[in-house]
């Protein structure tokens, strides 16, 4: 028997007779309990998040600008300092290579005592009074070929004896002077003492050492020395000279060299 095939018109009539059911839309994030592995449809929308608070646009840009300006300033400052240091190093290197600066050479050329007497007091109390006239001569030499030395006024003191028997033979002030390159200058330093109190053991030893020419002589001076190129002074430093520490008999054959100590830059 042949089966009857429904026609297209019959199908449309059957569809028209069946009632239509409304299609329920699944809520966002819905997952079927019978089929847990099923994923939500592509049309499902994500849950809404709470929006972040929006700050005024004038708050943060100002801080960023400040930070950027600080960084630019620090970078410029570092570059400026580096350039200054580099120029300073180049200038100092050029100065030393071109001028080859050297310290002055100072020597105690001679020392003479024209008067050296001790007088006792009215009573035998163990003290004597020293009266003395002495003359020292310092020899200054400038070993530089292009640099000048400007010496300021100097305070000079003369000391006789050693250790516990040291005796100040007076101090004086010497006027400053200018020394040309390669020049040599002799400075005479007169000192005098009138009735300086000295104990008898010291007076006895000084008298004996003076007679045998074993008396120890020291000359100290403090002054300022300026280094100049022509008439233009570059730098001035405070210096101290310590000359001698030698016996009187040494001056008959040679001069005593002085040591120089830098004190302070001006």
């Amino acid at each position: 028997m042949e089966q009857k095939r429904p026609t297209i018109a019959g199908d449309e009539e059957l569809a028209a007779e069946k009632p239509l059911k409304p299609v329920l839309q699944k809520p966002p994030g819905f997952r079927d309990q019978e089929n847990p592995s099923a994923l939500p449809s592509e049309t499902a929308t994500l849950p809404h998040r709470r929006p972040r608070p929006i700050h005024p646009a004038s708050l943060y840009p100002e801080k960023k600008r400040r930070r950027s300006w600080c960084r630019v300033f620090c970078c410029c400052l570092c570059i400026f300092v580096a350039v200054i240091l580099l120029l300073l190093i180049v200038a100092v290197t050029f100065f030393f290579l071109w001028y080859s600066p050297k310290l002055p050479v100072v020597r105690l050329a001679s020392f003479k005592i024209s008067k050296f007497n001790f007088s006792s007091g009215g009573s035998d109390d163990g003290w004597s009074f020293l009266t003395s006239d002495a003359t020292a001569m310092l020899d200054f030499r400038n070993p530089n070929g292009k640099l000048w030395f400007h010496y300021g006024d100097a305070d000079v003191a003369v000391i006789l004896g050693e250790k516990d028997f040291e005796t100040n033979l007076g101090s004086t002030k010497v006027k400053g002077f200018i020394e040309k390159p390669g020049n040599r200058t002799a400075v005479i330093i007169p000192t005098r003492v009138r009735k300086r109190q000295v104990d008898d053991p010291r007076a006895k030893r000084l008298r004996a050492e003076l007679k045998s020419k074993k008396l120890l002589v020291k000359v100290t001076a403090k002054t300022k020395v300026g280094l100049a190129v022509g008439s233009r002074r570059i730098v001035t430093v405070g210096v101290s000279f310590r000359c001698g520490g030698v016996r009187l008999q040494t001056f008959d054959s040679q001069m005593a060299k002085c040591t120089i100590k830098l004190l302070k830059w001006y």
Side-chain angles (χ1 to χ4, degrees), residues 3-54:
Q3 294 181 358
K4 292 182 181 181
R5 296 182 180 178
T7 62
I8 297 175
D11 293 338
E12 291 178 354
E13 291 177 0
L14 292 174
E17 291 177 359
K18 292 181 180 180
L20 298 176
K21 294 182 179 180
V23 180
L24 297 177
Q25 294 184 354
K26 297 179 181 181
F30 175 79
R31 181 167 295 184
D32 193 358
Q33 299 295 331
E34 297 178 358
N35 189 12
S37 60
L39 296 174
S41 62
E42 295 179 358
T43 59
T45 57
L46 296 175
H48 293 284
R49 295 182 181 179
R50 185 178 181 182
R52 294 181 180 179
I54 300 175

Side-chain angles (χ1 to χ4, degrees), residues 76-94:
C76 293
L77 182 62
C78 293
I79 293 173
F80 176 76
V81 172
V83 171
I84 294 297
L85 289 176
L86 181 61
L87 293 177
L88 184 62
I89 292 172
V90 172
V92 172
T93 303
F94 173 79

Side-chain angles (χ1 to χ4, degrees), residues 44-205:
T45 57
L46 296 175
H48 293 284
R49 295 182 181 179
R50 185 178 181 182
R52 294 181 180 179
I54 300 175
H55 296 280
S58 59
L59 292 179
Y60 291 104
E62 194 170 330
K63 292 184 178 179
K64 292 182 179 179
R65 287 178 185 175
R66 288 180 182 176
R67 290 177 183 175
S68 61
W69 277 112
C70 290
R71 290 176 183 174
V72 172
F73 176 76
C74 292
C75 292
C76 293
L77 182 62
C78 293
I79 293 173
F80 176 76
V81 172
V83 171
I84 294 297
L85 289 176
L86 181 61
L87 293 177
L88 184 62
I89 292 172
V90 172
V92 172
T93 303
F94 173 79
F95 177 79
F96 273 86
L97 292 176
W98 182 258
Y99 292 104
S100 298
K102 300 179 181 66
L103 291 174
V105 179
V106 185
R107 290 185 174 91
L108 180 59
S110 64
F111 184 81
K112 295 181 180 179
I113 299 177
S114 57
K115 189 175 184 180
F116 197 79
N117 298 326
F118 289 97
S119 59
S120 58
S123 59
D124 190 10
D125 55 0
W127 293 95
S128 299
F129 296 94
L130 172 64
T131 301
S132 173
D133 291 329
T135 303
M137 186 173 72
L138 292 179
D139 180 76
F140 290 82
R141 185 172 66 86
N142 185 358
N144 297 289
K146 300 177 183 179
L147 299 176
W148 296 53
F149 283 129
H150 292 250
Y151 292 92
D153 295 345
D155 296 319
V156 186
V158 178
I159 300 173
L160 298 180
E162 55 185 324
K163 296 181 181 180
D164 296 336
F165 293 94
E166 281 189 354
T167 302
N168 193 335
L169 209 61
S171 58
T172 185
K173 198 173 189 69
V174 179
K175 191 176 181 181
F177 60 94
I178 299 175
E179 194 170 30
K180 298 179 181 180
N183 196 19
R184 198 167 185 172
T185 306
V187 179
I188 298 175
I189 305 167
T191 57
R192 58 184 298 176
V193 173
R194 292 294 180 265
K195 293 184 178 182
R196 173 157 294 175
Q197 194 174 24
V198 181
D199 58 87
D200 287 343
R202 182 178 302 184
K204 184 178 180 180
R205 178 164 179 170

